Amino acid sequence: MSVHINHTVSPTITEEEKEVLQQIHAAVRYPVCRFELRSSREEELRSTALDAVHLTDEKEGMESVKHRAELLKSLEEKGLIVLFYHLKTFVKGDYQLYHHSDIFCQLQQLAEEGSKREGYLFDYAFVKKGVAVLTIKGKYALRG
């Protein structure tokens, strides 16, 4: 059985979103992370502190990281990319920047301080590794 698509309409994207799509397309891998707070006492207990994080520099500020995350989430909602966090294998070097970033260090300090308080559930910070991948719809949007 074959599928034939006569008409495809790409969602409207901003110039910034198109730039991010081009970066993902040009990259061998486009690493993203989810910064989480976790509990060593209850393995299932997790809280997302920051989602869809893609860093360009370990000193990068929170505002630019949040803005890029909003762009990535918008592209995902439009069906142009997939943010995939269930990696079985990964290139360690792609994620060292995240572990050494100022933002993650702040999260680690928050978890450490919180763990000293009675009843505080989250006692360590965790980097959930992932990648952003263009969908067919995303590849099509780049052509327009």
Side-chain angles (χ1 to χ4, degrees):
M1 178 167 84
S2 65
V3 176
H4 182 68
I5 300 173
N6 291 326
H7 301 284
T8 302
V9 177
S10 292
T12 304
I13 59 174
T14 67
E15 281 301 313
E16 279 184 302
E17 288 174 327
K18 188 170 185 173
E19 233 176 83
V20 173
L21 282 178
Q22 289 169 338
Q23 291 168 5
I24 294 169
H25 179 70
V28 174
R29 288 174 302 280
Y30 191 89
V32 294
C33 290
R34 183 179 288 149
F35 289 167
E36 299 177 340
L37 289 170
R38 292 188 175 187
S39 172
S40 60
R41 294 180 295 278
E42 294 183 46
E43 190 176 314
E44 297 300 315
L45 193 58
R46 298 173 182 179
S47 176
T48 300
L50 199 55
D51 198 13
V53 176
H54 177 81
L55 296 175
T56 57
D57 183 270
E58 66 182 41
K59 300 285 184 202
E60 193 169 3
M62 183 65 80
E63 290 308 311
S64 63
V65 171
K66 281 184 173 182
H67 181 67
R68 189 176 306 107
E70 288 170 6
L71 291 171
L72 288 167
K73 295 303 271 180
S74 174
L75 291 169
E76 183 180 43
E77 288 170 9
K78 292 175 182 180
L80 302 174
I81 65 169
V82 174
L83 299 175
F84 186 74
Y85 292 100
H86 302 289
L87 302 178
K88 294 184 192 231
T89 61
F90 57 88
V91 177
K92 187 177 177 180
D94 288 350
Y95 300 97
Q96 285 182 325
L97 171 69
Y98 296 85
H99 288 279
H100 298 126
S101 69
D102 287 352
I103 293 173
F104 187 67
C105 288
Q106 290 171 7
L107 186 62
Q108 287 177 307
Q109 289 172 352
L110 177 71
E112 187 179 316
E113 289 170 15
S115 69
K116 295 173 186 172
R117 294 187 201 127
E118 189 174 327
Y120 191 78
L121 300 172
F122 304 104
D123 56 353
Y124 72 98
F126 185 82
V127 175
K128 178 78 173 173
K129 296 163 187 70
V131 293
V133 180
L134 288 178
T135 62
I136 292 172
K137 194 174 177 181
K139 291 176 184 175
Y140 181 80
L142 279 175
R143 295 181 3 191

